[in-house]
Amino acid sequence: MSLQDSAIYPAPPEYNTFKKKIQDLTGIDLDAYKYQIHRRIHMLMQRWNMKTYEDYYKTIANNPEKLREFLDYLTINVTEFFRNTNRWWELRDKIIPEMFKELGHQRIKLWSAGCSTGEEPYSLAILALETKVATPQPVLAADIDKGVLAKAEKGVYNKRQIASTPKEWVPRYFTDVDANNIQVKQQVKDKVKFKHMNLIKDRFEAGFDIILCRNVVIYFGPETKSALYKKFHDALRPGGYLMTGATEQIFDYKNLGFESAGPFLYRRPKR
């Protein structure tokens, strides 16, 4: 069967073996993704001129650079600080101030689920500093990919990635590394705790006020999405918010126990 045909016809038995080996190697369950992920994997396989799944797996398993490329291509680890700025300013100008009034204090528990290389949780930490959030613990930043977590902990980024950051915030929270790169300051790093986590399989903490899970579940199948959103619902305190990505509308949010709080913003009812 050709690679082109694989986008139309069911995957061969060898693909099941490949999926199992990938799960053992990385912790990522490819069955949790939509069928399009099979086509996406084959596109990379074709790019590398791999003829068999066994050769494909050996290349990934024995070459750290190829493994990194595979994971980046699979999970689309491309982001920037304050991506989709309107969502961030909604948090700053509406959600967080209203939460202060509702709670009667400024202690807010925050989570960036599927944090990739760290731009989102660091953005959340900066927002917490700007709005005087008294985080009871550092922003939880979780991802299944240990490679991106290691990069995130270093906190070094290309200057293009801060294009959406307010100009006056840049010297406050970043330092220059060289002509092309910047690093988040220690006060921002201290506000974030990175954790290796499989969102589908691992148990979640409870009592979160705000959870961001944006551009993470785009390739997940419907059942996996629903199960994950239900876990987020249970991890929120009553009155807490879940923010999803701009292409990740939750159509069955009522059945999952949420109420709509705006575009791509969902709330666990207070009661």
Side-chain angles (χ1 to χ4, degrees), residues 90-91 94-100 102-103 108-113 124 207-214 229 232-233 235-244 250 258-270:
E90 184 177 14
L91 286 176
K94 179 184 177 184
I95 302 302
I96 291 177
E98 288 181 356
M99 197 168 282
F100 287 168
E102 174 192 332
L103 296 173
I108 295 179
K109 190 174 180 180
L110 305 166
W111 180 13
S112 169
L124 202 52
F208 286 98
D209 296 285
I210 299 174
I211 299 175
L212 271 60
C213 185
R214 305 163 72 228
Y229 288 141
F232 285 139
H233 171 276
L236 287 167
R237 66 159 178 85
Y241 291 87
L242 170 67
M243 181 178 286
T244 63
I250 306 177
F258 287 105
E259 58 188 19
S260 177
F264 310 104
L265 186 64
Y266 306 90
R267 193 178 197 190
R268 178 175 176 173
K270 295 180 183 178

Side-chain angles (χ1 to χ4, degrees), residues 188-254:
V188 180
K189 286 187 174 184
D190 290 343
K191 281 276 190 181
V192 179
K193 176 186 177 182
F194 291 99
K195 182 178 181 180
H196 179 247
M197 181 185 292
N198 185 322
L199 293 177
I200 297 170
K201 294 185 176 181
D202 292 346
R203 294 182 64 180
F204 295 170
E205 296 178 27
F208 286 98
D209 296 285
I210 299 174
I211 299 175
L212 271 60
C213 185
R214 305 163 72 228
N215 309 300
V216 173
V217 305
I218 186 171
Y219 285 107
F220 286 179
E223 291 184 3
T224 302
K225 284 183 182 179
S226 293
L228 182 56
Y229 288 141
K230 185 62 171 66
K231 288 177 71 176
F232 285 139
H233 171 276
D234 295 344
L236 287 167
R237 66 159 178 85
Y241 291 87
L242 170 67
M243 181 178 286
T244 63
T247 61
E248 297 169 327
Q249 184 176 355
I250 306 177
F251 293 102
D252 59 341
Y253 65 89
K254 291 183 179 179

Side-chain angles (χ1 to χ4, degrees), residues 1-12 38 42 46 51 53:
M1 182 171 61
S2 71
L3 296 179
Q4 186 175 13
D5 290 339
S6 70
I8 302 172
Y9 298 104
H38 181 216
H42 264 271
Q46 190 174 42
K51 303 299 183 183
Y53 286 107

Side-chain angles (χ1 to χ4, degrees), residues 126-139:
I126 290 171
L127 200 67
L129 289 165
E130 282 293 315
T131 56
K132 311 300 182 186
V133 167
T135 49
Q137 61 189 55
V139 174

Side-chain angles (χ1 to χ4, degrees), residues 79-83 88 110-129 135 138-143 148-149 151-153 155 157 174 184 187-195 212-214 216:
T79 186
E80 63 179 353
F81 285 81
F82 299 100
R83 183 178 181 179
W88 289 97
L110 305 166
W111 180 13
S112 169
C115 67
S116 187
T117 45
E119 293 89 333
E120 181 177 273
Y122 285 136
S123 296
L124 202 52
I126 290 171
L127 200 67
L129 289 165
T135 49
V139 174
L140 176 60
D143 203 280
V148 297
L149 289 174
K151 181 177 180 180
E153 288 180 332
Y157 302 93
F174 300 89
V184 294
Q187 64 170 326
V188 180
K189 286 187 174 184
D190 290 343
K191 281 276 190 181
V192 179
K193 176 186 177 182
F194 291 99
K195 182 178 181 180
L212 271 60
C213 185
R214 305 163 72 228
V216 173

